[in-house]
Amino acid sequence: MAAKYSSDVIIVGGGLAGLAAADDLIGFGKEVLVLERDLPENVGGLARKSFGGLMFVGSPEQRRFRITDSPELAWSDWQSYAEFEDDDVLPREWAKVYVENSIEFIYDWLKRKKVSFLPITNWTEHGFDRRGNSVPRWHITWGTGYAIVEAVLKSLFDHPARKNLQILFSHRGEEPDEQGGHIVGVAGHREDTGEEFTAHAGAIVLASGGICGGDLSKVRRYWNKELGSRPSVLLNGSHRYADGLMLDTVSRHGGKLTHLDQHWHYAAGIYHPVPKQDNDGLSLVPPRSALWLAACGRRFAPIPLVSYTDTKYLVELICKSPGQYSWQVLNWKIAIRELAVSGSDYMTAIRNKQRLRFLRELLMGNKILVNRLMKESEDFVSAGSLSELAGKMDELSQPGFKIDREGFLKDVRDYDAQVAAGIEHFRDEQLLMIANFRKYRGDRIRLCKYQRIDDPKAYPLIAIREFILSRKSLGGIQTDMKSRVLSDTGSDLPGLYAIGEAAGFGGGGIHGKRSLEGTFLGSCILTGRVAAEAIAKG
Ligand SMILES: Cc1cc2nc3c(=O)[nH]c(=O)nc-3n(C[C@H](O)[C@H](O)[C@H](O)COP(=O)(O)OP(=O)(O)OC[C@H]3O[C@@H](n4cnc5c(N)ncnc54)[C@H](O)[C@@H]3O)c2cc1C
């Protein structure tokens, strides 16, 4: 006999979007049942693993750092970066709601849950051939994304209406139940026992995440041709249940899926030292003072690759280069000051809220992280000379590729000669970019002051082999401004809502082609809260 459940609202997926919706819904007096495929220790989905960087516009942290921002400026940046198509009406509207309400809907909501942010706002995605963030907007959560999830869970479990919330783990939602044109429930199976279940409610909210995890087959199927061809090695930076199962079934029930070919991949992925799934990857935040080299060991030309510019452009250039992977060449001094990992598991001082250690690492460098990566990662090699380094890179090169020794030595020496010549003689685009980055106080503290690569005082030399890493789906289920799922004809599917990554973070693709960063977690909260209000107020 299949188990039967009922509630006012059923949420399929207990990631940040699902939990945010649940929190507001029980506040509105609704009974909520969350169906989550995963185990209790993974509740919170990707947010639990995330860095916890959020985009806010006009925050107290920005003001304290004398950063002048406004919804108008952010809206202009977002449109420039997104390259929305003419018919992206709903994605555009959602984006506008984000920039106009990021403080009230997201920042204040998190603050009420005692979430706090580092005092220095980061300046991500400056843009490359189109404008990205005109000002710093990326607020890192003290405690990383892990702290966000813990704060939302605490809010749920301490809530006076706690009894109205039930979370069932190992429950995989599969098929919406449609009766008389209304979605009234969802059927599925338990992951652990295989038993069948059905669940019924007045409203069903899909919060099951994107398609950029699972076995990556959907990422390959919907590969964006603008990026060039699919790389032969593609690392998985998402989770095993981000397989788009619910998107497929919603589409069978007439729900519209849009922008499935828009993904947010990262250019500096390494194999996860402790893999939990096939091709599991870690995304590095690449040092800007490192040289970014193609598979052959030469710098990308005519413009060198530098992170914090335009992630889509970095990915595209690497996908279009022979080998479709890259190297970063640096030294110990650069690594301890500039290298970071995007994720809670490796940024342990922030994750564990160790204030003194964090300050020490900011001032003296993060030796613990670099030592750990050098010890654990198969993609790191180190050496005491450039020719020894090139030899070790050769051993790690993909079949059919070798380091062009002469070219490699020339590129490093040319760069180092420019550094030695001094700032007034810089012609190298990377050095000019670094000089520009260093004008911002928040970047100066995280950047070396024009550091040579082949500098014995900064040894050992380090090379990192990097692959494209798949992380987030920018498209998904099309929703209206109340998070209701829309059909191909534009009418809503009564009773059905979609939020977070499942809904392309709002409207089926709030980001267009690019994200200004920190907009993923933020949009999960925004879309989850909008759905909760729409359901509660009818
Ligand atoms: C390492 C890392 C770092 C990141 N850093 C940042 C950052 O700094 N800033 C930022 O904005 N974003 C960041 N992100 C992205 C962000 O974390 C995600 O986009 C966001 O958390 C997605 O939330 P979600 O609730 O929509 O989906 P998910 O987190 O994917 O949650 C979906 C949940 O649904 C469950 N599920 C799936 N299918 C079913 C089903 N059929 N039935 C029942 N349950 C199901 C899953 O198990 C999962 O728990 C990062 C992501 C990662 C992995």
Side-chain angles (χ1 to χ4, degrees):
M1 261 272 282
K4 289 189 177 155
Y5 309 109
S6 68
S7 183
D8 291 339
V9 184
I10 289 169
I11 300 176
V12 182
L16 180 61
L19 296 180
D23 188 68
D24 274 17
L25 278 164
I26 59 168
F28 283 122
K30 294 285 177 191
E31 252 185 24
V32 178
L33 170 64
V34 178
L35 300 172
E36 168 54 56
R37 264 178 100 158
D38 217 327
L39 301 169
E41 59 265 34
N42 296 326
V43 66
L46 295 176
R48 176 175 280 278
K49 298 254 158 219
S50 76
F51 208 154
L54 284 125
M55 173 176 157
F56 299 124
V57 181
S59 71
E61 284 75 9
Q62 284 176 309
R63 282 198 295 281
R64 230 170 277 136
F65 237 62
R66 301 219 167 90
I67 297 163
T68 310
D69 200 3
S70 67
E72 293 74 27
L73 181 62
W75 176 227
S76 158
D77 291 349
W78 194 306
Q79 290 185 90
S80 150
Y81 223 40
E83 287 188 83
F84 285 124
E85 305 286 341
D86 289 346
D87 56 356
D88 283 336
V89 178
L90 287 163
R92 204 184 263 113
E93 269 191 64
W94 271 102
K96 200 144 191 277
V97 170
Y98 190 115
V99 296
E100 286 173 354
N101 299 283
S102 67
I103 299 299
E104 188 191 337
F105 277 43
I106 310 166
Y107 182 93
D108 290 347
W109 187 82
L110 285 168
K111 278 277 165 172
R112 284 198 292 278
K113 297 184 179 348
K114 307 268 183 291
V115 172
S116 60
F117 305 97
L118 298 187
I120 305 172
T121 308
N122 272 30
W123 197 341
T124 55
E125 299 294 310
H126 286 243
F128 189 69
D129 54 359
R130 56 182 48 250
R131 183 164 38 90
N133 282 308
S134 298
V135 294
R137 299 193 170 107
W138 202 64
H139 299 65
I140 299 179
T141 304
W142 184 232
T144 69
Y146 176 84
I148 296 180
V149 171
E150 288 298 307
V152 180
L153 287 173
K154 183 169 180 342
S155 164
L156 282 166
F157 295 142
D158 290 352
H159 203 284
R162 161 74 183 93
K163 63 173 184 357
N164 286 343
L165 171 75
Q166 194 183 5
I167 306 182
L168 295 176
F169 292 98
S170 289
H171 279 64
R172 181 178 65 234
E174 290 165 6
E175 196 67 41
D177 182 358
E178 191 177 336
Q179 286 175 22
H182 279 246
I183 305 294
V184 295
V186 61
H189 287 86
R190 289 192 62 130
E191 289 285 351
D192 46 2
T193 60
E195 280 170 274
E196 230 183 309
F197 69 84
T198 57
H200 287 94
I204 312 294
V205 183
L206 301 177
S208 50
I211 62 165
C212 280
D215 59 5
L216 293 183
S217 63
K218 287 203 171 74
V219 178
R220 292 183 182 283
R221 183 169 357 133
Y222 296 112
W223 185 256
N224 183 346
K225 305 271 184 318
E226 276 181 20
L227 298 176
S229 62
R230 293 175 303 214
S232 50
V233 176
L234 182 62
L235 299 183
N236 190 343
S238 181
H239 63 63
R240 61 189 170 144
Y241 291 145
D243 60 3
L245 170 73
M246 289 311 298
L247 271 66
D248 293 341
T249 56
V250 162
S251 152
R252 283 203 301 278
H253 285 263
K256 184 173 176 186
L257 306 182
T258 66
H259 303 97
L260 293 186
D261 63 339
Q262 297 297 335
H263 311 139
W264 196 237
H265 304 307
Y266 286 101
I270 57 169
Y271 280 95
H272 202 301
V274 195
K276 294 206 173 72
Q277 55 192 349
D278 281 349
N279 285 334
D280 206 352
L282 274 184
S283 181
L284 302 183
V285 180
R288 285 170 276 186
S289 300
L291 290 189
W292 209 326
L293 312 177
C296 63
R298 301 296 310 265
R299 279 178 98 190
F300 286 89
I303 310 278
L305 294 198
V306 183
S307 65
Y308 286 69
T309 51
D310 177 339
T311 295
K312 179 168 182 272
Y313 173 77
L314 301 176
V315 169
E316 183 179 334
L317 229 73
I318 293 168
C319 285
K320 290 181 177 169
S321 70
Q324 299 178 302
Y325 69 99
S326 64
W327 295 98
Q328 288 224 315
V329 167
L330 60 161
N331 54 44
W332 171 259
K333 192 170 166 191
I334 295 173
I336 59 170
R337 190 159 189 111
E338 298 187 24
L339 186 66
V341 175
S342 172
S344 57
D345 291 345
Y346 280 75
M347 305 311 289
T348 45
I350 304 180
R351 152 82 161 71
N352 300 330
K353 300 188 180 178
Q354 293 166 298
R355 219 171 283 276
L356 279 179
R357 192 183 135 199
F358 170 68
L359 279 176
R360 200 173 53 237
E361 287 175 354
L362 197 63
L363 298 173
M364 319 283 289
N366 192 344
K367 296 174 190 157
I368 295 176
L369 175 72
V370 178
N371 274 325
R372 181 173 170 193
L373 287 169
M374 283 174 54
K375 188 163 158 242
E376 293 179 1
S377 169
E378 62 183 273
D379 294 303
F380 276 63
V381 286
S382 63
S385 72
L386 282 175
S387 49
E388 189 196 353
L389 193 71
K392 291 192 172 175
M393 288 162 75
D394 259 342
E395 286 167 27
L396 263 192
S397 288
Q398 292 291 90
F401 290 89
K402 268 186 107 50
I403 300 299
D404 162 0
R405 298 286 177 105
E406 244 177 64
F408 168 71
L409 293 178
K410 177 178 180 326
D411 284 356
V412 177
R413 284 175 184 151
D414 283 355
Y415 178 83
D416 281 355
Q418 282 250 338
V419 176
I423 188 165
E424 55 283 6
H425 301 288
F426 287 171
R427 275 169 292 103
D428 186 278
E429 295 277 354
Q430 178 168 350
L431 286 167
L432 293 171
M433 279 190 238
I434 293 173
N436 204 26
F437 290 139
R438 284 182 55 84
K439 288 183 190 150
Y440 172 51
R441 227 168 6 132
D443 269 338
R444 231 167 17 246
I445 199 161
R446 294 196 184 93
L447 267 171
C448 291
K449 195 173 177 190
Y450 316 119
Q451 172 60 48
R452 279 189 298 136
I453 305 292
D454 190 17
D455 172 3
K457 285 205 228 82
Y459 275 7
L461 291 162
I462 299 170
I464 313 169
R465 184 183 60 171
E466 294 170 346
F467 299 97
I468 303 298
L469 174 136
S470 166
R471 176 79 99 213
K472 299 148 191 162
S473 329
L474 300 187
I477 302 169
Q478 181 135 66
T479 51
D480 69 5
M481 298 313 293
K482 290 186 169 173
S483 291
R484 292 181 297 206
V485 173
L486 295 180
S487 71
D488 282 324
T489 59
S491 59
D492 64 307
L493 298 187
L496 194 61
Y497 296 75
I499 58 177
E501 199 162 335
F505 298 97
I510 194 173
H511 297 101
K513 294 184 176 179
R514 291 181 195 77
S515 161
L516 293 167
E517 281 291 358
T519 49
F520 306 104
L521 295 168
S523 298
C524 286
I525 295 170
L526 176 69
T527 54
R529 298 198 65 206
V530 165
E533 184 167 351
I535 291 166
K537 299 199 169 154

